[in-house]
Amino acid sequence: MVDSKASLEQGIMDKIRSRGTLNVNGDDSPGEAKCANAIRNSTLARWLSLHGEPMPIPGLSAEEERDLVRLTDEIQTAKGENPAADTFHLEVAIDRLVYDHYGLTDEEDTAIERSLGLIFQTDEEEDAALARMMEGRGPYGPADLLSEETIRTKLRAMDGG
């Protein structure tokens, strides 16, 4: 019997590898460079790095590039005005665009986010992650210690409600 998790992960890898890549270097447009940086900082890129895979930078449609540039500009503006600004919703929007570009399904998106501890199957998993964050452990670390209510709000947002 084939391991369904391994099969799902292999399907994700196959989709990512099947996309053409854009070679981004200093000669490319500022828009392409912003898109490449957004993609390199996405949840999908983080997931790939944990699997020892490089993040291919895909060729994007004009609409995809425009949307990614707009989102990265909004993040840069917000962080420029206030380095502690909450740009979580913009980062999630970038993740959605990246997932869509690679043709990932909702099931695949969920598997990626679950494997990174961004969403939870049970309240117990969520409570354990909350406790680790409150103690300054886990993926966030001491610099990101927040109030319990802020953390619960962020966890609920990641979990879709």
Side-chain angles (χ1 to χ4, degrees), residues 20-132:
T21 60
L22 172 69
N23 293 320
V24 177
N25 57 43
D27 299 330
D28 294 304
S29 74
E32 287 177 343
K34 284 183 182 182
C35 290
N37 285 334
I39 292 167
R40 284 185 189 115
N41 289 307
S42 69
T43 298
L44 180 57
R46 193 168 3 137
W47 182 82
L48 282 171
S49 72
L50 292 175
H51 287 80
E53 291 281 327
M55 181 70 202
I57 305 301
L60 301 169
S61 70
E63 181 180 355
E64 289 170 322
E65 183 174 330
R66 184 183 63 245
D67 290 343
L68 280 172
V69 167
R70 179 183 55 77
L71 290 166
T72 57
D73 285 347
E74 286 183 40
I75 290 171
Q76 287 175 335
T77 298
K79 294 292 186 179
E81 293 171 1
N82 175 8
D86 182 4
T87 58
F88 178 75
H89 66 287
L90 299 169
E91 294 162 26
V92 168
I94 288 172
D95 283 341
R96 297 288 161 240
L97 288 172
V98 172
Y99 292 148
D100 289 347
H101 178 76
Y102 285 99
L104 300 183
T105 65
D106 289 343
E107 179 186 20
E108 291 165 332
D109 301 353
T110 299
I112 289 166
E113 291 173 1
R114 185 167 286 130
S115 73
L116 292 172
L118 300 176
I119 57 176
F120 309 98
Q121 288 184 328
T122 65
D123 288 340
E124 289 78 21
E125 287 178 1
E126 184 174 359
D127 291 343
L130 176 62
R132 285 191 305 275

